[in-house]
Amino acid sequence: MSRPIPRPSPTEQPFYEACARGELKLQYCKPCTRFLFYPRTHCDRCHSPQLDWEQVSGKGTIASYTVVRRAVSEAFTAPYIIALIDLAEGPRMMSQVINAEPDALAVGHTVSVDFAAWSDEIKLPVFRLQGVPSEAGPSHHADSEGKT
Amino acid sequence: MAKTGLHDDCALIGMAESDVGIVPDKTPRELCVQVTLDAVRDAGLTLEDVDGLITCNAFAEPIMYHAEAVAEYLGWQPKHCVTVNTGGGTTFMAIKMAAAAIAAGMAHTIVIAMADSLRSHMTREQAMVVQSSSGHPHYEQPYGPTVPAYYALLARAHMDRFGTTEEHFAYAAVSCRAWASQHPKAQKRDPISVEDVMGSRPIADPLKVLDCSLVSDGGAAVVITRGDRVSGSKQKPIYLLGYGEGHAYEHISQASDLTTSAAVMSGQAAYADSGLTPNDMDLLQLYDCFTPALLIQVEDLGFCAKGEGGDWLASGISQPGGHKPLNTHGGMLSYCHPGNPGAMFGLTEAMLQLRGQAGARQLSGINTALCHAQGGIMSSHATLILGNEDPS
Ligand SMILES: [Zn+2]
């Protein structure tokens, strides 16, 4: 059993093409002046079909997280961290937080995007811990978690 | 007084459960057939008296036309025959659909039957993968979330927002087990403590294995009939007093609120439909797939203030002897959880309690029960309020 690999539809293709280049792009709805995610044919608020792909900062905060101790299948090696990330531009996405100690995680911590190869063709956004929220003290530097 | 709902004039007059837990000698289809016959017999009827069948599909034995296949197995040609599937909420939506079909003249008496065998007819990995496949195929599943992980995300958010603790969740498991220890059929009957839950194997932080429902085999069925056919029933009829639904999203990553669910909408609709309030409920049969789901439902259905679900559970109010008995069969945490049919056992237990047939765990002076189930990841909700006195 292998990891599930997205098979992008034409609508989704720009998202995955950007990921392959190391860019996070989201759809932007001009009438609503807001970004949305996941990719759609229509804005999920005003239902306009006119959505523009724009690059976003890749910064976000952890809305919630869990350390998976029992993997979903043999294709995954536990433990790994699943998180809901609130992107700075608004939308929320599920992802993995990589290269982080579980004890270093908390709701509200800031993260930044990276990209990881899931197959020869598909790269997916993942996130690295950036630091603690500003009200909780000075933030750590992005690379302080170290590489593993 | 005439009510406005479609269900005002029908009642549940029969029920049956199969053996539950580990039942390797029967396929899901065979369990579904068995409970169909047993529920009809319990109602004092034969299949000739029944003209409708509603089932849900089984993960362990998917059938394209499931209800039709069950009817065929019985050599039965019901007038109305349909398969429904809305995840864990299937049970109560199917009851409402049956009531609506009866009101529309599509049938006068319908069996609702469900069974699955996640435990004996699937491998553990198959069962995990098929259940986690509810995740979005492009924007969730590739990251490897498990179903416990989805609920762990809700748990962590609740802890962060309200100061809920892992011990608070553990009390939900302790409460359900305390009831299960009084039920001779429960899959897990040994009493457990908060310490037992806290010390059990980590699955997806903060959830441990005892925060997670069972993986089981089993089936259950109920019979619902039109009002004019209720009198003279073999069993005490159980009336549908109120019903509501709430649908907020499908995938957890699309939830606008991680700590308050559409159980608020479904509960409020059911209370309005019945003219009753949370205080009027003598028995709560809620959807305890994971302990945080139970805690959030207790809050969202109005049994305590938002954020106080942990203290409510820790008070012991839901346990044997407490005045808000909750999941008196032991719930999916301790009685059984065969997948989509899981909430059927919440319903059949409510019927037994309202009939006065619950044996050693029978509640005294019980007239109402609230049954709630949800599908997805706290996504879609259905609430059913039952009573044992004719509301008309
Ligand atoms: Zn829009």
Side-chain angles (χ1 to χ4, degrees), chain A residues 28-34 36 42-48 50-51:
Chain A
Y28 184 79
C29 177
K30 274 208 190 94
C32 290
T33 64
R34 67 188 269 271
L36 50 128
H42 296 74
C43 170
D44 62 332
R45 183 176 293 168
C46 74
H47 305 127
S48 162
Q50 262 153 4
L51 302 169

Side-chain angles (χ1 to χ4, degrees), chain B residues 144 149 158 196 198 385:
Chain B
H158 204 280
D196 291 333
M198 294 296 290
I385 296 175

Side-chain angles (χ1 to χ4, degrees), chain A residues 35-105:
Chain A
F35 285 93
L36 50 128
F37 185 78
Y38 44 80
R40 289 166 160 95
T41 55
H42 296 74
C43 170
D44 62 332
R45 183 176 293 168
C46 74
H47 305 127
S48 162
Q50 262 153 4
L51 302 169
D52 302 322
W53 286 98
E54 290 187 17
Q55 189 169 351
V56 295
S57 68
K59 307 290 184 202
T61 59
I62 295 176
S64 193
Y65 69 95
T66 178
V67 184
V68 179
R69 303 289 181 178
R70 187 194 158 104
V72 68
S73 74
E74 289 168 0
F76 292 85
T77 305
Y80 52 96
I81 298 159
I82 299 283
L84 294 172
I85 307 297
D86 284 342
L87 297 171
E89 290 79 8
R92 176 176 291 169
M93 64 191 299
M94 183 176 287
S95 188
Q96 283 191 5
V97 177
I98 61 167
N99 291 2
E101 288 302 320
D103 288 347
L105 293 165

